[in-house]
Amino acid sequence: MAPSTTQIEEHVSLKLLLNERGNKVLFAEADKDFVDILCSFLTMPLGTVARLIEKESGVGPVTLGCLNSLYHSVANLDDGCFSADGIKQVLLEPINAAEDYCNTLKINIDDTPPTKYLACNRLNCRFNDLTISPFKDQHKCRCGYSCTSPVFLKNSCQGFVVGSVTFFITDNLTVIPNGLDYTRLRLLQEHGIKYPSLVKEIVLKVTKEKVLDLLKHSLFSTSTLTDLFLAKKPSLESSRFFFPDGEITQNLKINMKLVIRKSDGKILFAHGEHQFADMILTFLTIPLGLFARLFGGICSLGSINRLYKSISDFNENKYFMSKEAKNRLVDTGVVDLSFCAQFFKHYGDHNIYTGNIKKMYFLQKFFVKGPVMYVVTDDLVVSPLTPISALDLLNRFETPITDLKEKDVIVGVKEVVSIMMAALTSTAALTNGLAHLLTEV
């Protein structure tokens, strides 16, 4: 009889340096495996984040602002609401633009099914256009033939950062390469440590479940490592939110009607045409790193902003596997606020070099059908507007008709940005994001 073997759970090593009392992490020391995992957080679309943080783990399920209610409302929408087959699945399991990099990590918590690609079925096509499989019946190659031939892309990526360097990671997930500019001694001095005996070292095996806990803590806490490894629950801190300053000139105008409770100024819900719903559904497709990139200076999100800023400051020639590896992290998604004006009708026109494939083309599609009207609640629950649904909403809020006011507004890019930030930092995305439109109410 063969001897029984015990399966060893996959893990990565992490060394923590604690203060004398052992109740605070000063910083951690890690190699490529752990830093690659941190990098992967930045690549995750918000729809994926919503799904992952509801999973059971050491700290239990958590929710992030209005993100989870938006995600569940998409799951509850009838398939007939969407403009094409596969759109609903793309919103619930959005494509990770760095999927090929994340799949090579020692621990990858993203459970999104691998993307299936279809190529032009014309032999020796000179364009080599690719499309994702949910849209196989709706896309043609530039040569005129349909894209129906399955393609298996060769994965030549090996994570994001180089393996020859070790890294320091502060409590708020600032990642610092260990080099001449930064050493362990310097970090200890910055923490006011005078003697090595005042520091405790522990080496941990970080498992997949712990990585999921790490993601959850990173979204809420600015002392992520301490809260994760020395406490049981994430420290839920109030996020900063400021209405964006400056002029945004993108040409976007969406007409919508707000239903406001006069007694407290709360927007109970808003309704408008399908462009309004598309605008809100777009949020699920935006990578976490893109949110930090666009809004990190005016909106805090736990330790994510610090993580993104430190990674983006890395010398691409010294610390990344390639220039492309850095681009997937810090230039992920779209390069400016035009994604708002376009409602993310496509996932980008990225140059993704994989083998002989030069460019990957995605469809330009609206998410939901028009000219159906849609209603969106303050916590971003999206549903078609019908006389019955409107009445149900009014009954749900138990507000007298005399305490309600309707207001017609025109929403532009500035308002879209504001709603998006409020969606991740509060459970009242419309009230907080559109507060500047309610001054006379």
Side-chain angles (χ1 to χ4, degrees):
M1 181 177 180
S4 61
T5 59
T6 302
Q7 186 175 3
I8 300 176
E9 186 175 7
E10 193 70 70
H11 67 272
V12 296
S13 295
L14 183 68
K15 179 184 289 186
L16 298 182
L17 284 84
L18 313 179
N19 62 2
E20 182 180 16
R21 296 180 180 178
N23 60 0
K24 179 173 176 56
V25 174
L26 301 176
F27 57 90
E29 294 180 359
D31 59 14
K32 168 184 172 61
D33 289 338
F34 187 79
V35 175
D36 275 346
I37 291 170
L38 290 179
C39 289
S40 73
F41 291 174
L42 301 177
T43 72
M44 294 179 182
L46 294 178
T48 300
V49 173
R51 186 176 69 251
L52 291 177
I53 63 177
E54 287 191 341
K55 289 179 173 292
E56 285 291 346
S57 63
V59 297
V62 297
T63 58
L64 180 63
C66 303
L67 187 61
N68 297 81
S69 57
L70 171 60
Y71 184 89
H72 286 293
S73 72
V74 172
N76 292 330
L77 279 176
D78 187 87
D79 290 347
C81 293
F82 296 96
S83 60
D85 292 339
I87 292 287
K88 181 175 183 177
Q89 199 64 19
V90 166
L91 289 170
L92 295 177
E93 296 177 338
I95 297 169
N96 186 328
E99 175 186 32
D100 48 344
Y101 282 82
C102 295
N103 286 342
T104 66
L105 305 187
K106 197 167 184 180
I107 296 178
N108 180 21
I109 60 172
D110 187 349
D111 59 358
T112 305
T115 305
K116 296 179 180 179
Y117 300 98
L118 298 169
C120 178
N121 58 10
R122 181 182 183 183
L123 187 63
N124 298 323
C125 174
R126 65 188 180 93
F127 293 108
N128 283 331
D129 285 3
L130 292 183
T131 185
I132 53 179
S133 58
F135 310 113
K136 61 185 178 182
D137 298 326
Q138 304 166 43
H139 184 69
K140 288 188 176 181
C141 179
R142 282 172 289 171
C143 72
Y145 278 68
S146 297
C147 292
T148 57
S149 301
V151 174
F152 300 94
L153 301 184
K154 182 179 179 180
N155 194 345
S156 59
C157 308
Q158 295 298 324
F160 297 98
V161 299
V162 296
S164 57
V165 179
T166 57
F167 299 85
F168 301 117
I169 304 165
T170 66
D171 204 10
N172 63 6
L173 297 190
T174 297
V175 183
I176 307 168
N178 182 1
L180 294 177
D181 294 333
Y182 257 91
T183 63
R184 177 192 275 207
L185 177 61
R186 177 175 172 178
L187 281 174
L188 290 175
Q189 290 173 337
E190 289 183 354
H191 282 89
I193 303 298
K194 296 181 179 181
Y195 304 101
S197 59
L198 300 180
V199 178
K200 296 182 178 181
E201 291 187 14
I202 58 173
V203 178
L204 302 174
K205 292 181 178 180
V206 181
T207 63
K208 189 171 185 176
E209 179 178 319
K210 209 67 174 177
V211 171
L212 181 54
D213 286 341
L214 175 63
L215 173 64
K216 294 176 181 180
H217 281 275
S218 69
L219 295 168
F220 299 99
S221 174
T222 55
S223 54
T224 299
L225 298 183
T226 295
D227 288 350
L228 173 62
F229 295 110
L230 304 180
K232 294 182 179 180
K233 292 285 183 181
S235 299
L236 302 182
E237 300 184 4
S238 298
S239 299
R240 297 193 333 265
F241 171 77
F242 305 103
F243 188 78
D245 294 325
E247 293 297 323
I248 301 176
T249 58
Q250 279 292 338
N251 184 23
L252 170 67
K253 292 183 178 180
I254 298 177
N255 294 301
M256 50 194 285
K257 189 182 293 289
L258 307 179
V259 176
I260 306 157
R261 188 162 56 202
K262 293 187 289 186
S263 56
D264 60 5
K266 178 180 174 63
I267 299 176
L268 300 183
F269 56 91
H271 52 91
E273 295 184 354
H274 66 95
Q275 295 94 337
F276 171 48
D278 282 331
M279 176 190 75
I280 299 299
L281 297 180
T282 291
F283 299 169
L284 295 176
T285 70
I286 296 175
L288 191 57
L290 180 58
F291 182 90
R293 174 186 171 189
L294 295 177
F295 312 131
I298 53 178
C299 179
S300 68
L301 194 63
S303 297
I304 294 298
N305 296 346
R306 294 281 189 172
L307 172 62
Y308 175 84
K309 179 63 169 60
S310 62
I311 294 294
S312 63
D313 287 342
F314 279 11
N315 184 314
E316 65 186 34
N317 297 317
K318 291 177 63 175
Y319 302 118
F320 285 99
M321 296 293 290
S322 64
K323 182 178 180 179
E324 175 68 14
K326 181 175 183 178
N327 288 342
R328 295 290 188 92
L329 292 172
V330 303
D331 293 328
T332 185
V334 194
V335 295
D336 56 31
L337 294 179
S338 63
F339 71 90
C340 295
Q342 298 299 322
F343 315 124
F344 247 162
K345 288 186 292 186
H346 63 303
Y347 281 92
D349 196 12
H350 321 297
N351 287 322
I352 302 179
Y353 296 94
T354 310
N356 295 322
I357 303 300
K358 295 181 178 179
K359 209 168 206 182
M360 194 174 300
Y361 288 86
F362 294 98
L363 295 176
Q364 297 192 358
K365 282 289 179 181
F366 289 112
F367 294 131
V368 293
K369 291 178 179 177
V372 179
M373 298 286 288
Y374 287 85
V375 61
V376 178
T377 62
D378 202 12
D379 59 350
L380 299 191
V381 172
V382 180
S383 60
L385 178 64
T386 65
I388 294 178
S389 65
L391 183 60
D392 287 344
L393 276 174
L394 292 175
N395 290 332
R396 169 183 152 192
F397 291 112
E398 299 180 346
T399 301
I401 297 294
T402 54
D403 194 23
L404 297 178
K405 177 182 177 68
E406 289 187 328
K407 180 177 175 63
D408 293 313
V409 298
I410 298 176
V411 171
V413 172
K414 192 171 184 178
E415 286 73 32
V416 174
V417 169
S418 186
I419 293 172
M420 186 184 304
M421 290 190 293
L424 295 194
T425 56
S426 75
T427 56
L430 298 183
T431 297
N432 291 332
L434 301 179
H436 62 294
L437 300 180
L438 308 180
T439 53
E440 76 278 16
V441 177

